[in-house]
Amino acid sequence: MRKLYVLAGFFSLFLSVANAQRVTGNVKDDQGKAVSKSTVSLLNARDSSVAKLAATDNDGKYVFIAEPGSYLVSVSHIGYAPAYSAVFEVSGPVTVSEIKLEKAAESLSGVTVSSKKPMIEVKADKMIVNVEGTINAVGNDALELLRKSPGVMIDKDDNISLAGKNGVQVYIDGKPSPLSGSDLSNFLKSMQSSQVESIEIITNPSAKYEAAGNAGIINIRLKKNKTFGTNGSVNLGYVQGIYPKYNGGINLNHRNKKINLFGSYNYNNGDYLMKMRSTSERFDTLFETNNRINANINSHSFKGGMDYFVNKNSTLGAVVTGNIADNKITTAGPMYFTYQPTNQLVKILRATNDNDRGSDNVNTNLNYRYAKPGGTELNIDADYGTFKITSDQYQPNYYYLGDGVTETSRVIYNMISNTDIDLYSLKADYEQNYKGGRLGIGGKIGFVNTDNDFKRYDVFTSGNKYDSSKSNRFKYEENINALYVNYNKQVKPGFLVQLGVRMENTNITGTSNGFREENGVFVTYDSVFNRHYTDFFPSASMTFNKNPMNQWTFSYSRRIDRPAYQDLNPFEFKLSEYAYMKGNTDLRPQYTNSFGVTNVYKFRLTTSLNYSHVKDIFAQLPDTIDKTKGFLTKKNLATQDIVALNISYPFQYKRYSFFANLNANFSHYQADFGGGDRKVDQNIFALVYYMQNSFNLGKDWTAELTGLYISPSVWQGVVRSDAMGSVDIGVQKVLFNKKLNLKVAYSDIFKTMKWGGSTNFTGGNARFNGHGELGQIKINLSYRFGNSQVKASRQRKTGLEEETKRANSNGNQQGGMGNK
């Protein structure tokens, strides 16, 4: 606690007092006449809470006295639809643009007005995919949700890229995940869409966010009930592809003036199938594989916590989240060896890999929040998390002559790998009004300790024999210390500036222990590497919104992507008889400088143009050993230059709404690893198009038609991918006073979500393709129970949150207005 007091004392040096200012404006009807006695609310832009209330006079005018900060104005009047101003900054006297009221439709008279979040919301710095409200998201896991999110691409190895850039940092509830590669993809596969409230795609994070993530941040927000009283919900889901899948969950919440208790539990079980085919040429041999991957995923996830409202400004909280998964994965299929000079099949390898994989994750968070409306705000978070990953693989390899009958040899392995990851962090963020703007400062200390113990056994009839030469223990310690300062201010009416810089000090130690062969003799080795470096990451943006109907934002940021611990381990892992993977201790961080401009026209059409230069980009490169055996390793490509264009537009006519998002990017990769076929010089144009059509069919029936198209692109700098896409349809029926919700969807109706690609790096021409279960029927049933009432102040806040987003000065616009 002493450190926290010192930190708070450090923040207190920045305290200052700001003078209140006048906010004036006027209200007229659609005929241009002044509207008197209208209720006018001054809302905090941050959370839509009411700062002050007023009423218009006989001339339709109103006046507020407000402290410096970000606000917007809402106006309501009997017989008229509510109206809102754009968001504005108070640093001196402000005159709000005239607000016009339109008469409410007669059909709305005397009924309760309700709204739902749009499927997609677009802001200048991020895009929000509201998973909770969409029909076609049912039955998906979190990785599949990302695959169908605008601008996101996932390759055959489940590597995530955004707008043509790899190095995406995945957050869960605002906290970065320490997992990467297959560990991250397996974790996301165990998380069901029923747990997810929204996905935030943040392409231009401010200095407040950690600098990791060259392409930006994907923040997966899980559901949390904010309703007063005691309430909850249950949900059941069923998916039928080639195999059936089941999921279900319960959510409970109790909230009053002093305390908020919440908890949830979700279960998921299902069998999955993926088919993969590949061909590759090495020296004089053609290799062909046809693999069938069967997976059974069985996972439990839970979340529980408490918020204690000490007073109107202070809150103490504690949250425990966890995920326990037990996955059984079987990969089976023959490999054919063809001698190319004679085109003769000379050998067949029949190999099966059975992997019993477990993953246990528990995270604990203690937090404190002090917030004074329109004034200071302090958030302190202490986190501890553990990941325990186990893998028990049994891999028999049987070799036959080309006739497929005569066995020539057999080799059987058993590989056991245990990984323990411990995370500790302390973070503080402080904000206050300062010289007419908003000043934010903060810091974080974080530690990640990883211990991976890989043991390889040769399996004989008499028993298993430990192979020390093919076993390895790798310990990895990472410490990152960070400080940041961020400041935003309305310099003059219609011109906002945000400036920030983040400093991160990184300290890494890796130790790899095992045996290696030297002159026919196995000797022990202890490979240790250390890295210590400090970087500065500036960010800036300028927003011109004098005309709220045509807003412009210019932005810049510098970011980093550090190598994952698995990519640094120099040990050579044998994936199969003809495939290896090896880490690279010389792998350097990759850095990105990004420049962007965003225009929001009439709160609807949003256009963003970004240029990024990536230095020392990571790429997973295929190479060869002994002419016929291949291995994968990651290296730093020289550079990557990317120009990305993103356009989104919503449209609504009566009961029909439409949202479209187009992301196009041009990338240039260039590197030289020795000339000839070891050079990379590629230009690639890629396009991702997403569209959603929503239909209000009446009598509480709604329907959705969504489509996704991903053009040919480049994976990992050296693999050219094929085009793929999908079309999904779904219907929804609301029953029993809107408490029961039934959703039915059919995904990939044309069975086109198939991936493929090719590469000729190092002269080894390779081609591969595959797909999961195409065309799946998904059913979800959810039921809400308990008290659904909220206090007036909270009700006003939550009721206005979605409408407020339309008026955000950073260019917020809603993709599809929802049904009202």
Side-chain angles (χ1 to χ4, degrees):
M1 290 302 293
R2 177 182 295 177
K3 292 182 178 180
L4 299 183
Y5 288 131
V6 172
L7 187 60
F10 171 74
F11 290 144
S12 67
L13 295 176
F14 292 88
L15 293 174
S16 64
V17 178
N19 294 324
Q21 303 293 340
R22 285 170 57 88
V23 177
T24 60
N26 66 87
V27 180
K28 293 184 179 181
D29 62 15
D30 51 4
Q31 303 299 318
K33 297 180 180 179
V35 181
S36 62
K37 299 181 181 179
S38 297
T39 300
V40 185
S41 303
L42 183 67
L43 308 177
N44 290 299
R46 175 179 299 276
D47 56 11
S48 306
S49 60
V50 178
K52 292 182 180 294
L53 294 172
T56 55
D57 59 18
N58 291 335
D59 296 323
K61 296 180 179 181
Y62 59 88
V63 178
F64 292 109
I65 303 298
E67 296 178 353
S70 297
Y71 300 95
L72 74 157
V73 169
S74 72
V75 180
S76 60
H77 193 93
I78 296 176
Y80 292 87
Y84 304 87
S85 74
V87 174
F88 55 86
E89 294 288 331
V90 174
S91 56
V94 175
T95 300
V96 181
S97 299
E98 181 179 279
I99 297 177
K100 290 187 177 181
L101 298 179
E102 296 183 359
K103 290 185 178 181
E106 292 182 3
S107 59
L108 293 178
S109 178
V111 302
T112 300
V113 178
S114 60
S115 65
K116 72 172 185 177
K117 292 182 179 180
M119 171 63 180
I120 304 287
E121 299 174 68
V122 180
K123 298 184 179 182
D125 64 336
K126 65 183 174 182
M127 180 181 298
I128 302 173
V129 182
N130 289 308
V131 176
E132 189 175 16
T134 186
I135 302 170
N136 290 333
V138 299
N140 288 322
D141 58 49
L143 188 68
E144 195 64 25
L145 291 176
L146 292 184
R147 190 188 303 274
K148 296 182 178 181
S149 296
V152 179
M153 293 183 63
I154 299 177
D155 67 15
K156 67 180 182 66
D157 298 316
D158 293 336
N159 296 302
I160 304 171
S161 61
L162 180 61
K165 293 182 287 184
N166 62 4
V168 178
Q169 180 65 55
V170 174
Y171 281 51
I172 308 295
D173 275 340
K175 302 183 187 304
S177 170
L179 301 180
S180 60
S182 60
D183 292 336
L184 176 62
S185 63
N186 284 314
F187 176 72
L188 294 176
K189 288 176 183 177
S190 68
M191 184 183 297
Q192 283 297 296
S193 61
S194 58
Q195 301 171 241
V196 180
E197 178 179 316
S198 64
I199 297 172
E200 298 177 347
I201 302 172
I202 307 172
T203 55
N204 185 35
S206 70
K208 185 175 181 178
Y209 290 92
E210 295 186 19
N214 279 325
I217 293 170
I218 295 178
N219 184 26
I220 301 175
R221 290 203 172 274
L222 305 181
K223 294 179 181 179
K224 181 178 179 180
N225 196 322
K226 303 180 181 68
T227 308
F228 272 70
T230 301
N231 50 77
S233 63
V234 293
N235 68 85
L236 295 172
Y238 175 80
V239 177
Q240 181 63 59
I242 295 178
Y243 300 114
K245 304 155 188 66
Y246 314 87
N247 61 81
I250 184 169
N251 183 298
L252 295 172
N253 186 82
H254 175 77
R255 185 185 184 105
N256 56 36
K257 291 181 179 180
K258 295 298 293 183
I259 198 169
N260 179 38
L261 298 172
F262 54 90
S264 64
Y265 167 78
N266 289 272
Y267 174 72
N268 173 45
N269 184 282
D271 292 313
Y272 299 79
L273 173 67
M274 177 176 288
K275 295 181 179 180
M276 298 175 59
R277 182 180 185 276
S278 68
T279 61
S280 62
E281 299 176 8
R282 300 177 198 147
F283 193 49
D284 58 3
T285 304
L286 173 67
F287 299 81
E288 297 179 82
T289 61
N290 288 281
N291 285 331
R292 182 183 176 97
I293 303 173
N294 291 86
N296 174 262
I297 295 179
N298 183 59
S299 66
H300 308 260
S301 61
F302 56 88
K303 181 176 183 178
M306 177 186 72
D307 294 319
Y308 175 67
F309 308 109
V310 181
N311 52 48
K312 66 178 182 180
N313 296 326
S314 299
T315 304
L316 288 170
V319 183
V320 176
T321 60
N323 185 284
I324 300 173
D326 180 17
N327 303 331
K328 299 183 185 300
I329 304 171
T330 299
T331 303
M335 175 181 285
Y336 300 99
F337 302 73
T338 301
Y339 182 62
Q340 289 188 296
T342 61
N343 197 31
Q344 180 182 0
L345 179 64
V346 295
K347 189 191 306 184
I348 299 175
L349 167 62
R350 292 195 172 99
T352 302
N353 181 285
D354 292 310
N355 188 356
D356 190 350
R357 182 186 179 90
S359 175
D360 296 345
N361 163 231
V362 178
N363 296 299
T364 303
N365 167 262
L366 300 176
N367 59 82
Y368 169 75
R369 182 173 188 261
Y370 173 85
K372 184 178 179 181
T376 59
E377 181 175 329
L378 172 65
N379 291 278
I380 300 175
D381 287 88
D383 290 273
Y384 171 68
T386 63
F387 286 83
K388 294 185 180 297
I389 302 169
T390 61
S391 175
D392 186 349
Q393 298 184 63
Y394 178 77
Q395 182 169 317
N397 302 277
Y398 300 95
Y399 289 90
Y400 296 85
L401 293 178
D403 59 13
V405 177
T406 306
E407 181 181 336
T408 59
S409 62
R410 65 176 59 184
V411 183
I412 304 175
Y413 306 120
N414 181 207
M415 294 166 285
I416 299 175
S417 177
N418 296 316
T419 302
D420 294 332
I421 305 175
D422 294 305
L423 304 95
Y424 313 82
S425 69
L426 177 65
K427 180 171 72 78
D429 301 288
Y430 174 80
E431 290 186 6
Q432 70 160 67
N433 300 320
Y434 181 72
K435 291 189 176 181
R438 191 74 174 169
L439 174 68
I441 59 175
K444 180 178 180 179
I445 301 173
F447 295 89
V448 180
N449 298 327
T450 303
D451 186 355
N452 176 260
D453 189 8
F454 178 84
K455 295 179 180 179
R456 155 89 174 263
Y457 296 85
D458 295 322
V459 179
F460 301 99
T461 305
S462 58
N464 294 357
K465 182 180 179 181
Y466 178 64
D467 188 346
S468 59
S469 66
K470 298 296 190 295
S471 301
N472 171 259
R473 185 163 188 175
F474 183 58
K475 294 184 178 181
Y476 178 82
E477 297 177 356
E478 180 182 85
N479 162 233
I480 300 177
N481 308 299
L483 292 172
Y484 77 86
V485 59
N486 199 66
Y487 184 71
N488 62 77
K489 180 180 180 179
Q490 180 171 321
V491 179
K492 59 181 181 180
F495 179 38
L496 289 83
V497 175
Q498 176 267 318
L499 298 171
V501 64
R502 186 180 184 92
M503 182 276 292
E504 291 192 351
N505 167 252
T506 304
N507 305 282
I508 294 173
T509 299
T511 304
S512 184
N513 301 114
F515 290 84
R516 64 172 172 236
E517 186 176 359
E518 292 184 0
N519 300 321
V521 179
F522 289 101
V523 297
T524 60
Y525 74 91
D526 189 345
S527 176
V528 180
F529 61 90
N530 295 278
R531 301 274 180 84
H532 305 280
Y533 52 91
T534 300
D535 291 298
F536 290 86
F537 302 95
S539 63
S541 66
M542 295 184 296
T543 299
F544 299 88
N545 63 349
K546 188 172 184 179
N547 177 9
M549 295 294 105
N550 190 21
Q551 304 179 41
W552 292 87
T553 299
F554 298 85
S555 61
Y556 163 77
S557 66
R558 181 176 188 258
R559 300 190 62 75
I560 186 176
D561 196 36
R562 300 176 181 88
Y565 76 91
Q566 303 100 319
D567 299 329
L568 295 171
N569 188 357
F571 180 72
E572 189 177 278
F573 290 92
K574 192 172 185 178
L575 303 177
S576 68
E577 283 293 273
Y578 286 84
Y580 298 79
M581 183 175 66
K582 182 179 181 180
N584 177 10
T585 57
D586 294 326
L587 195 63
R588 301 181 301 275
Q590 62 182 26
Y591 295 88
T592 299
N593 287 278
S594 297
F595 304 84
V597 56
T598 300
N599 174 256
V600 181
Y601 183 68
K602 292 187 176 180
F603 297 108
R604 301 180 71 81
L605 177 64
T606 301
T607 306
S608 298
L609 180 66
N610 287 273
Y611 166 74
S612 298
H613 176 77
V614 187
K615 179 183 177 183
D616 292 333
I617 183 176
F618 300 152
Q620 184 166 280
L621 303 178
D623 215 326
T624 57
I625 302 174
D626 300 331
K627 296 183 179 180
T628 60
K629 297 180 180 181
F631 77 93
L632 297 174
T633 189
K634 280 194 176 180
K635 293 185 178 181
N636 295 103
L637 286 180
T639 60
Q640 180 189 20
D641 293 283
I642 305 170
V643 178
L645 175 68
N646 191 88
I647 302 173
S648 62
Y649 183 76
F651 171 79
Q652 182 171 9
Y653 179 73
K654 295 183 178 179
R655 293 187 173 186
Y656 168 73
S657 63
F658 170 80
F659 175 81
N661 179 266
L662 174 69
N663 184 281
N665 64 81
F666 173 81
S667 300
H668 175 68
Y669 296 86
Q670 186 176 26
D672 189 345
F673 295 109
D677 57 15
R678 301 182 67 83
K679 293 180 67 175
V680 177
D681 192 353
Q682 293 199 70
N683 295 314
I684 190 71
F685 174 80
L687 181 148
V688 178
Y689 175 73
Y690 174 84
M691 65 87 181
Q692 177 199 3
N693 300 270
S694 300
F695 308 87
N696 184 344
L697 306 178
K699 296 184 178 180
D700 293 324
W701 282 93
T702 55
E704 279 183 5
L705 174 67
T706 58
L708 173 70
Y709 171 76
I710 302 173
S711 76
S713 181
V714 169
W715 295 340
Q716 300 293 312
V718 295
V719 178
R720 287 184 172 268
S721 66
D722 301 334
M724 61 180 177
S726 66
V727 175
D728 305 337
I729 58 174
V731 295
Q732 174 180 257
K733 172 64 174 177
V734 180
L735 301 163
F736 302 131
N737 197 26
K738 301 188 183 298
K739 290 185 177 293
L740 182 67
N741 192 313
L742 173 64
K743 298 177 181 178
V744 180
Y746 185 69
S747 65
D748 197 11
I749 60 177
F750 298 114
K751 300 183 178 181
T752 52
M753 202 63 177
K754 304 176 182 179
W755 50 262
S758 61
T759 181
N760 61 356
F761 185 74
T762 69
N765 294 319
R767 173 74 194 170
F768 45 82
N769 55 66
H771 59 82
E773 298 180 54
L774 306 175
Q776 299 185 63
I777 297 176
K778 304 174 180 181
I779 302 172
N780 181 267
L781 190 68
S782 62
Y783 179 75
R784 294 183 295 109
F785 58 86
N787 182 26
S788 61
Q789 300 297 315
V790 295
K791 291 193 173 183
S793 60
R794 300 274 178 178
Q795 190 173 14
R796 177 179 293 275
K797 173 181 174 180
T798 55
L800 294 176
E801 279 179 346
E802 300 312 315
E803 293 293 342
T804 300
K805 292 170 184 171
R806 284 190 293 176
N808 191 304
S809 64
N810 283 334
N812 180 14
Q813 70 84 16
Q814 295 192 1
M817 301 298 292
N819 301 317
K820 298 187 176 182

